[in-house]
Amino acid sequence: MSAGSPLGAIAAANAAPTVMAGARLPPQYIERSRLIEPLLTTHCRLRLLCAPAGFGKSVLMKACAKAVPAGTGVVWLDLAGSACSPQRLYEQLCEAFGRLPDAGPDVQTSLRRLLAQAPGPCWIMLDDYPRDPSPELDACLDAMLVSGPDTVAWWVTSRRLPDWKLPRLLLQGDLLELEAEALALTEAELRLLLGLHRLRLPEDTFRDLSQCMEGWLAGVCLLLLNADEQSLRERLAAGTPLLRDYIYREVLDGVAEDIRHALFVLARMPRFSAALCEHVLDGAGTGLLDQLKARQLFIRQLDSCGEWFRLWRPFAQLLQRLPEAVLPTQVHLRACQWFASKGEMREAVEHALWAGQSEVAANYLQRFGQEQLLIGENVSHFLRWRAELPQALFASTTRLIVLHGWALIICARLDEVDECLANLAKFFPRPDARRQALLLAHWQALRGFLARLRGEPSAREHCLQALEVLTDHSWAQRVLCYQALTQQAMAEGDIDPAVHYNSEGMKLARLNGSLLYEVMLTVDRVQLLEITGEFSRAVGVLDQAFVSLRDSVRHSPILGRLKLLQGHLLAYQGLDEQARQAYEEGRAETENCGDSYAFFGYLGLGELAIRNQDMPTAYHWLREAERMMQWRHVPESRFRGILQFATGLAWLNQGELIKARNAFELVAELYESGDFLAPSGFYELLPRLQRYRAVVDMLEGHPQLAITRLQALIAESMLGQRLCLACESRFTLAEALLMAGRASEADTELRRALTEAARRKLVKPLYELQQRQPGWLARVLGNKGETLHERLQHYERDIDEPVATADDLVLSNRELTVLRLIAQGCSNQEIAEQLFISLHTVKTHARRINTKLGVARRTQAVARAKSLALL
């Protein structure tokens, strides 16, 4: 082979391969080992680098050519994206091998014979495969890939997806394909590239660059050329002549007019499908999407099933700035019509707004389902629309006012809900009594939920009155009333009504086929199970909720709430790392969806930090929780008491008893008067406050006072079915007895608490004892296992423990419910129908009740339960 041949040469037999000088890498080359390593080590017939212009395909293949294994030959052919016949390819390969073309019966036979004579293994690298369809070349190489010699490996870079049997090659293990998503720069690679340009960017500018360019290598390099931070920000906002010239020359030149027009239209679309393309392009889009994908014209797939796509962000932004850019009004109006016809009201509204048609947007907003507020970022979108649309439109119909109010409630912007209620009141009186009563019921439902979030006792009255009037057509409002009543009952410590209201709400959600509302109420059900100490059931119900949403919802405030609740349960079980991950995921999901429940994530992370004595991190999360709530305009009444309580726990953990007591007293002032109930999610706030006040008493040297308080709290908790809190309080009582010099009683109480904690998998209360009394806990609990979670798992109940007393006896929440129905004279069948469980399950519960109470018959179980004050 001559020295002037194309980039590369085939090595002679048993000689080291040669790569010609044309393989020079660019000055700002960065090592991309994450891509090079699999390309070099994977054994397959074809390595295909298929991506749009500017993703570094050729540079990556040159880097691999320089690292060719010893004894392997390399042939590099630059096809320059131009048309190439099989005959021309054969002639170029003959030249590279130093052979003369033969006159075989056909090109494929000649090419196969040439490759079979290659001296040892070799790589044939075809750079910039023809960009226009080339059926003959595709068919020829497809045959070589299927039946060519095993010693030849093909490397191809292409801006067009060749018509080869790629699925078959993939199944056979003969294909390694890298697409644009894999070739895009990672954040680490982007930082390396900035270093080569001697450019250090603030984190916000780096984030803007990363998000705007989406790892498009050519775009990044052209932006960074002779740039400082200020000029880079200007280029991100307005583009550069170099980028525009690159797009014209490397992408748009030579593209058919209909495809150019389609690209300019799709640049205005956040996402599109084949059907949407056909509608927006007025029938001219049939098969167009397949062409765009095959030509690698910056099409990015959004889902795993290949239905939805968008243009790569930097390419779309550049197209919008070009002189030929399509005016957006008609594009967005067509898209608006299409999405509305599919029931996708959020995107219909978005496109109407982009088209500048506010009245059309408001009209579609009327059809926005209340349940849709619980999907993705719809709440955030809804509140943004409020800022973009004329304010009069949002107050123009009762439907829009009610939707607006529920969106604000999800965000906990409670003060702004008052304005919605005032606007709703302007529609009174209605033309007839029926509509008057129905509008009042909607007002009361909204007012009742608002009162619950504010902790006002009037919530129950509003919701019950609303339920009397709301029809089946307003089932969503009825479900939310049941949720408010459930949470109100939990805040008041009434477990049985809470269970009833929760069951009614779930039944209504199921009857209307609303999985999202059912799972939303599952959050309350899990919290009920946690309060009553049924951790295993709580975890099972939570897991089932995740399974239910798995195939239907990818992003939702409800998913975020479930994750936060999962973190909470994991933290109670002492599984800190899993809890931290769940809190982080839940916080991110709820925050992205505009849900005020993100507050729970910050508090949970703060609590984990307190537990691990990482006080700077704990205070960081508490400050971030406050900042987030203030930034989102959440009234302080919604979070101030909880934040103060968490701060008190932090002070207590640091031994700052006076500061801790002061913090707890501030919380007591807010809630002990009865004017306000505990906020949702913190239903046991006051009894937990009593426990920590007792801890302060004990640590200040008043153990007897603490003992008295704790014994009363345990008795009250057992009667109220707050079995988890009762267990936690027993640990504190045991420590108070120890500090009072009553060691024997303290040991007995601690063993009792450990037995109950082990049964419930409740590790959280052991952390406090571990911090203050590590030696005593080790003596009683033992040292088997490294973590408290593992040590509690190894704890064995004393076989000589006496028969359970009323204080010891624990029936599950469901068992208590079944027992109450038995006491009312219900048959097993009637119980099954009321609780929506099977007859077999009812019999199982009844058998377990008899076993726990030590009786044989139903009448004896009722009598025994009454004697123990369980009924």
Side-chain angles (χ1 to χ4, degrees):
M1 175 180 171
S2 65
S5 61
L7 175 63
I10 188 75
N14 301 321
T18 303
V19 178
M20 304 302 291
R24 182 178 63 86
L25 298 173
Q28 279 79 33
Y29 170 73
I30 57 171
E31 183 73 28
R32 307 181 75 185
S33 56
R34 67 178 179 90
L35 301 174
I36 292 174
E37 184 176 345
L39 285 169
L40 292 176
T41 57
T42 302
H43 298 286
C44 57
R45 286 180 179 267
L46 172 63
R47 295 163 177 85
L48 176 62
L49 283 63
C50 190
F55 275 88
K57 304 180 292 295
S58 298
V59 172
L60 182 61
M61 196 159 73
K62 288 176 185 178
C64 291
K66 285 181 172 292
V68 62
T72 299
V74 176
V75 172
W76 182 292
L77 297 180
D78 185 359
L79 303 184
S82 303
C84 179
S85 66
Q87 181 64 37
R88 176 58 186 150
L89 177 65
Y90 170 61
E91 291 170 356
Q92 287 182 290
L93 288 173
C94 284
E95 182 183 357
F97 277 90
R99 298 179 183 275
L100 293 174
D102 63 17
D106 57 71
V107 175
Q108 287 190 21
T109 302
S110 298
L111 184 56
R112 190 176 289 108
R113 184 182 300 122
L114 173 68
L115 297 178
Q117 295 170 357
C122 71
W123 292 349
I124 299 179
M125 293 181 155
L126 306 182
D127 188 31
D128 203 0
Y129 195 74
R131 298 171 195 174
D132 291 321
S134 184
E136 290 183 356
L137 182 63
D138 285 356
C140 176
L141 286 179
D142 194 34
M144 294 304 103
L145 291 170
V146 171
S147 59
D150 292 335
T151 55
V152 175
W154 295 85
W155 294 61
V156 179
T157 71
S158 178
R159 297 186 194 177
R160 175 179 68 85
L161 190 64
D163 187 15
W164 297 335
K165 299 180 181 68
L166 297 178
R168 177 179 177 180
L169 292 172
L170 185 64
L171 289 172
Q172 292 173 344
D174 282 330
L175 170 64
L176 175 59
E177 183 178 5
L178 294 183
E179 298 178 314
E181 284 78 5
L183 294 168
L185 293 170
T186 64
E187 286 195 357
E189 291 166 350
L190 180 56
R191 292 186 191 279
L192 287 175
L193 192 56
L194 288 169
L196 292 176
H197 283 266
R198 296 182 174 83
L199 192 58
R200 298 189 63 179
L201 298 179
E203 194 59 34
D204 60 335
T205 306
F206 175 83
R207 186 169 57 251
D208 290 344
L209 175 64
S210 177
Q211 292 175 354
C212 180
M213 301 312 292
E214 293 191 319
W216 182 35
L217 180 59
V220 172
C221 290
L222 290 173
L223 279 181
L224 295 180
L225 198 62
N226 300 320
D228 56 19
E229 184 199 347
Q230 181 59 36
S231 60
L232 178 60
R233 295 200 68 86
E234 292 171 359
R235 293 173 184 180
L236 284 172
T240 71
L242 283 174
L243 271 174
R244 288 192 291 273
D245 186 59
Y246 184 88
I247 288 297
Y248 273 125
R249 294 179 181 275
E250 297 294 330
V251 182
L252 298 180
D253 278 359
V255 172
E257 187 57 36
D258 60 336
I259 293 181
R260 284 172 65 107
H261 175 70
L263 287 173
F264 282 113
V265 169
L266 298 180
R268 300 283 180 182
M269 310 285 290
R271 68 169 184 151
F272 49 82
S273 64
L276 179 56
C277 285
E278 185 173 353
H279 180 84
V280 171
L281 295 170
D282 199 17
T286 305
L288 175 71
L289 191 54
D290 290 335
Q291 292 185 57
L292 296 177
K293 289 188 292 182
R295 290 175 172 270
Q296 292 294 308
L297 288 173
F298 288 87
I299 301 296
R300 184 163 195 173
Q301 186 171 312
L302 295 179
D303 56 17
S304 59
C305 55
E307 180 182 4
W308 288 98
F309 303 85
R310 67 170 171 85
L311 294 187
W312 281 76
R313 190 174 295 121
F315 181 62
Q317 291 172 347
L318 283 165
L319 290 181
Q320 292 172 24
R321 298 185 186 116
L322 293 179
E324 306 96 311
V326 175
L327 291 176
T329 302
Q330 196 61 32
V331 173
H332 289 308
L333 279 178
R334 284 182 172 276
C336 172
Q337 296 164 359
W338 189 87
F339 278 112
S341 70
K342 303 299 180 183
E344 299 284 351
M345 292 305 154
R346 181 186 68 77
E347 287 179 288
V349 172
E350 290 281 13
H351 282 284
L353 288 174
W354 288 326
Q357 303 292 318
S358 59
E359 291 188 1
V360 175
N363 180 48
Y364 285 128
L365 201 54
Q366 289 263 83
R367 309 183 208 173
F368 200 80
Q370 190 168 313
E371 189 180 20
Q372 288 181 281
L373 293 173
L374 300 178
I375 298 174
E377 301 174 20
N378 283 353
V379 168
S380 300
H381 287 298
F382 196 96
L383 297 182
R384 179 170 56 77
W385 298 333
R386 183 186 66 158
E388 295 179 7
L389 288 167
Q391 291 299 304
L393 285 177
F394 267 88
S396 61
T397 68
T398 58
R399 172 68 177 164
L400 283 178
I401 293 171
V402 170
L403 275 174
H404 186 197
W406 290 116
L408 290 168
I409 277 178
I410 292 174
C411 297
R413 294 166 67 164
L414 307 184
D415 292 344
E416 297 175 57
V417 182
D418 288 326
E419 183 180 349
C420 292
L421 292 170
N423 287 332
L424 205 58
K426 293 176 183 177
F427 285 83
F428 292 109
R430 302 298 283 167
D432 57 69
R434 185 188 65 82
R435 282 191 280 178
Q436 173 88 350
L438 188 59
L439 180 59
L440 179 60
H442 280 287
W443 185 94
Q444 286 189 299
L446 198 57
R447 181 66 182 85
F449 212 102
L450 177 63
R452 163 79 289 268
L453 292 181
R454 286 175 169 166
E456 298 171 359
S458 61
R460 178 189 292 103
E461 181 182 354
H462 285 298
C463 289
L464 288 174
Q465 290 179 3
L467 283 171
E468 290 179 2
V469 178
L470 288 171
T471 63
D472 291 341
H473 182 71
S474 302
W475 64 268
Q477 283 80 14
R478 290 177 61 83
V479 170
L480 291 166
C481 284
Y482 280 124
Q483 184 183 37
L485 289 168
T486 301
Q487 296 181 357
Q488 187 85 348
M490 281 196 281
E492 293 173 340
D494 292 337
I495 300 301
D496 292 333
V499 172
H500 168 72
Y501 291 132
N502 183 259
S503 296
E504 288 297 308
M506 280 199 164
K507 175 183 176 182
L508 189 56
R510 289 166 183 159
L511 288 173
N512 286 277
S514 176
L515 180 62
L516 271 175
Y517 271 45
E518 180 185 348
V519 176
M520 179 181 69
L521 295 176
T522 297
V523 174
D524 297 324
R525 172 153 292 187
V526 171
Q527 290 176 320
L528 273 167
L529 292 170
E530 177 213 330
I531 288 172
T532 55
E534 296 184 71
F535 265 85
S536 295
R537 278 192 64 200
V539 171
V541 170
L542 187 65
D543 290 343
Q544 185 57 48
F546 279 118
V547 171
S548 300
L549 291 181
R550 181 178 56 195
D551 296 328
S552 57
V553 179
R554 293 181 62 188
H555 295 289
S556 167
I558 304 304
L559 270 176
R561 294 180 188 185
L562 291 174
K563 270 293 178 185
L564 293 174
L565 196 51
Q566 184 182 53
H568 177 72
L569 295 180
L570 289 167
Y572 254 100
Q573 296 171 75
L575 302 171
D576 286 13
E577 193 51 46
Q578 295 98 309
R580 183 175 294 103
Q581 182 178 351
Y583 276 135
E584 285 283 13
E585 292 174 2
R587 180 183 65 86
E589 183 72 12
T590 48
E591 203 158 358
N592 289 337
C593 294
D595 186 8
S596 63
Y597 267 69
F599 182 66
F600 289 78
Y602 287 101
L603 285 188
L605 291 167
E607 180 183 338
L608 289 177
I610 291 172
R611 176 188 292 181
N612 292 294
Q613 304 295 301
D614 185 0
M615 302 314 296
T617 300
Y619 285 119
H620 161 76
W621 287 119
L622 295 182
R623 285 193 302 271
E624 286 298 302
E626 181 178 32
R627 177 178 173 274
M628 188 270 293
M629 298 297 266
Q630 290 172 343
W631 185 73
R632 291 181 178 269
H633 306 287
V634 177
E636 292 216 350
S637 59
R638 173 76 174 129
F639 68 89
R640 178 57 56 194
I642 304 304
L643 209 53
Q644 196 70 51
F645 182 74
T647 304
L649 293 181
W651 287 122
L652 181 62
N653 194 267
Q654 290 178 280
E656 298 282 358
L657 300 182
I658 295 176
K659 292 180 178 180
R661 183 180 289 280
N662 290 338
F664 293 146
E665 292 303 324
L666 288 173
V667 180
E669 288 176 14
L670 285 173
Y671 296 106
E672 282 189 338
S673 65
D675 294 336
F676 294 98
L677 298 173
S680 299
F682 298 91
Y683 305 108
E684 296 180 302
L685 179 61
L686 279 178
R688 290 190 180 282
L689 191 63
Q690 292 179 41
R691 182 170 92 82
Y692 282 110
R693 285 160 119 182
V695 171
V696 174
D697 289 335
M698 175 184 71
L699 296 178
E700 286 182 339
H702 309 291
Q704 189 54 51
L705 178 59
I707 290 169
T708 303
R709 282 189 172 182
L710 290 165
Q711 287 174 336
L713 177 60
I714 291 170
E716 179 185 332
S717 298
M718 293 295 294
L719 286 175
Q721 301 180 58
R722 294 193 295 268
L723 306 183
C724 180
L725 178 61
C727 179
E728 292 181 48
S729 300
R730 289 195 191 281
F731 282 97
T732 312
L733 175 60
E735 187 178 5
L737 289 167
L738 183 69
M739 296 185 70
R742 297 155 65 176
S744 176
E745 293 176 70
D747 277 2
T748 300
E749 192 66 37
L750 178 58
R751 294 182 186 279
R752 193 175 178 184
L754 284 170
T755 299
E756 196 168 321
R759 183 188 308 133
R760 304 188 189 287
K761 301 178 181 177
L762 191 65
V763 181
K764 181 181 176 181
L766 273 68
Y767 282 93
E768 294 179 29
L769 205 59
Q770 171 73 12
Q771 182 185 347
R772 293 192 293 263
Q773 307 288 346
W776 182 45
L777 182 63
R779 178 172 60 83
V780 178
L781 181 61
N783 280 315
K784 295 179 181 178
E786 297 178 357
T787 67
L788 287 174
H789 176 82
E790 293 167 340
R791 289 166 65 185
L792 188 65
Q793 281 185 317
H794 287 100
Y795 181 76
E796 295 181 1
R797 182 171 178 167
D798 188 345
I799 58 173
D800 295 327
E801 185 176 352
V803 176
T805 64
D807 283 347
D808 295 318
L809 193 57
V810 177
L811 296 180
S812 72
N813 181 53
R814 180 49 61 94
E815 287 166 350
L816 282 169
T817 302
V818 170
L819 183 58
R820 289 186 181 88
L821 292 173
I822 289 174
Q824 294 171 19
C826 296
S827 67
N828 286 348
Q829 185 61 47
E830 289 170 332
I831 295 171
E833 291 171 358
Q834 287 195 42
L835 298 182
F836 301 99
I837 56 179
S838 68
L839 184 62
H840 172 75
T841 302
V842 175
K843 292 178 179 179
T844 300
H845 284 313
R847 185 169 60 254
R848 288 175 179 169
I849 290 168
N850 290 346
T851 301
K852 290 183 179 182
L853 295 177
V855 298
R857 288 188 290 275
R858 291 160 60 102
T859 54
Q860 293 174 333
V862 172
R864 173 67 173 156
K866 288 180 178 178
S867 70
L868 294 172
L870 294 175
L871 290 177

